[in-house]
């Protein structure tokens, strides 16, 4: 079944600055701003939220040279993450405008960075979206929820919330059969075609070549200019709440996709 879709005018980058507290009791998450009743979280997204990124990368090379690091990593755990937007005004009939991230733990097995400077001695965490205040799950653009046990390539940038985060919704590729890549970039885009033209072995060779800044290749791509900060108010919310052209179908949380329960780990 195809998931309902909702469109947002602009999303910007993934990093946000405000961290709110959440409590987990007996596998059921209590979202403070959503009232006193405990509720469960969907184990899969119900809607796709469409939003424009702050930067549109033209190729895998450009995205790589813009990223401080690229890692090959296995997802070892997924847990409910930080809550943002809890203090924002909700839509009529809603109890809260809060949304919650999914905290994804990665065991890095291979890392690439300019001259090999970035190191990852311990598991790292990135985040993806997410759940609304009712516990309904949603994914953003073509970035499907990461799964425990699967192996991915992540194009990373710094994050105030988690230390590292994916550079955009197009900055992840699953390593599938025989080392081929399945990119989270938009279907039919030049970037998706560029990424998926490599298998992981060929991509690793290419990354080592373009990250050798002491001996840069003559065809070194030009890095994209990343926005320093999101639009006003962005730091309190991963997605804007205005300008929606369609409303997602409210499937509730009793749709067979829960309880999760969380945490989920290997």
């Amino acid at each position: 079944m195809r998931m309902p879709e909702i469109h947002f005018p602009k999303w910007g980058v993934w990093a946000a600055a405000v961290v709110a507290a959440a409590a987990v009791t007996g596998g059921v998450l209590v979202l403070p701003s959503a009232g006193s009743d405990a509720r469960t979280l969907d184990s899969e997204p119900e809607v796709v939220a469409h939003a424009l990124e702050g930067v549109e990368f033209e190729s895998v090379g450009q995205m790589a040279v813009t990223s401080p690091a690229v890692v090959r990593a296995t997802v070892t755990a997924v847990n409910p993450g930080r809550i943002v937007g809890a203090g924002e005004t909700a839509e009529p009939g809603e109890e809260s405008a809060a949304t919650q991230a999914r905290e994804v733990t990665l065991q890095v097995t291979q890392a690439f960075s300019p001259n090999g400077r970035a190191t990852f001695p311990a598991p790292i965490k990135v985040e993806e979206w997410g759940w609304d205040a009712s516990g309904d799950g949603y994914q953003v653009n073509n970035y499907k929820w990461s799964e425990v046990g699967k192996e991915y390539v992540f194009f990373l940038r710094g994050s105030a919330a988690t230390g590292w985060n994916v550079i955009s919704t197009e900055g992840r590729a699953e390593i599938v059969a025989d080392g081929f890549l399945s990119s989270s970039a938009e279907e039919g885009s030049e970037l998706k075609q560029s990424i998926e033209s490599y298998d992981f072995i060929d991509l690793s060779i290419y990354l080592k070549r373009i990250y050798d800044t002491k001996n840069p290749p003559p065809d070194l791509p030009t890095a994209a200019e990343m926005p320093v900060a999101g639009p006003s108010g962005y730091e309190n919310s991963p997605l804007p709440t205005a300008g929606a052209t369609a409303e997602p179908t409210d499937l509730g949380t009793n749709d067979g996709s829960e309880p999760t329960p969380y945490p989920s780990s290997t």
Side-chain angles (χ1 to χ4, degrees):
M1 181 182 69
R2 183 178 179 180
M3 288 187 290
E5 300 178 353
I6 183 170
H7 296 262
F8 294 93
K10 187 162 183 73
W11 187 24
V13 295
W14 281 46
V18 176
V19 178
V24 179
T25 305
V28 177
L29 179 87
V30 181
L31 184 62
S33 59
S36 58
D37 294 334
R39 46 69 170 188
T40 55
L41 300 175
D42 278 352
S43 60
E44 59 185 33
E46 295 183 350
V47 299
V48 177
H50 291 278
L52 295 177
E53 289 289 352
V55 174
E56 294 185 10
F57 296 105
E58 298 176 356
S59 66
V60 63
Q62 185 185 48
M63 186 163 64
V65 297
T66 308
S67 304
V70 179
V71 299
R72 176 181 185 173
T74 300
V75 175
T76 59
V78 179
N79 293 285
R82 64 198 180 96
I83 301 168
V84 297
E88 295 181 2
T89 303
E91 295 294 322
E94 295 180 352
E95 294 182 353
S96 173
T99 56
Q100 185 163 20
R102 303 176 80 240
E103 185 181 79
V104 181
T105 302
L106 306 177
Q107 181 63 54
V108 175
T109 55
Q110 199 167 359
F112 307 89
S113 62
N115 298 324
R117 289 193 297 266
T119 58
F120 301 90
I124 64 172
K125 294 180 180 180
V126 298
E127 61 182 12
E128 60 193 26
W129 305 96
W131 295 281
D132 65 17
S134 298
D136 297 334
Y138 67 91
Q139 73 177 55
V140 180
N141 297 336
N142 196 44
Y143 194 104
K144 298 177 177 64
W145 284 6
S146 301
E147 297 182 33
V148 172
K150 286 192 174 182
E151 194 172 28
Y152 301 89
V153 177
F154 293 87
F155 293 77
L156 300 176
R157 70 173 304 190
S159 166
T162 57
W164 292 97
N165 213 356
V166 184
I167 196 167
S168 80
T169 63
E170 299 188 309
R172 188 198 68 186
E174 181 183 351
I175 301 176
V176 293
D178 299 321
F180 289 102
L181 302 173
S182 177
S183 170
S184 64
E186 181 182 356
E187 294 291 342
S189 66
E190 291 185 6
L191 178 59
K192 185 176 180 69
Q193 294 174 14
S194 175
I195 295 172
E196 294 182 353
S197 67
Y198 292 87
D199 61 20
F200 181 76
I201 293 177
D202 289 338
L203 179 62
S204 64
I205 294 172
Y206 179 59
L207 291 174
K208 289 177 182 178
R209 187 168 71 89
I210 65 173
Y211 276 146
D212 183 4
T213 59
K214 296 179 181 178
N215 300 284
D219 58 346
L220 180 69
T222 301
E225 184 176 349
M226 294 295 293
V228 176
S232 178
Y234 171 77
E235 65 276 9
N236 295 319
S237 177
L239 289 172
T241 56
T245 58
E247 290 295 331
T249 302
D250 184 8
L251 302 179
T253 51
N254 295 314
D255 59 327
S257 66
E258 69 283 323
T260 302
Y262 277 88
S264 171
S265 62
T266 55

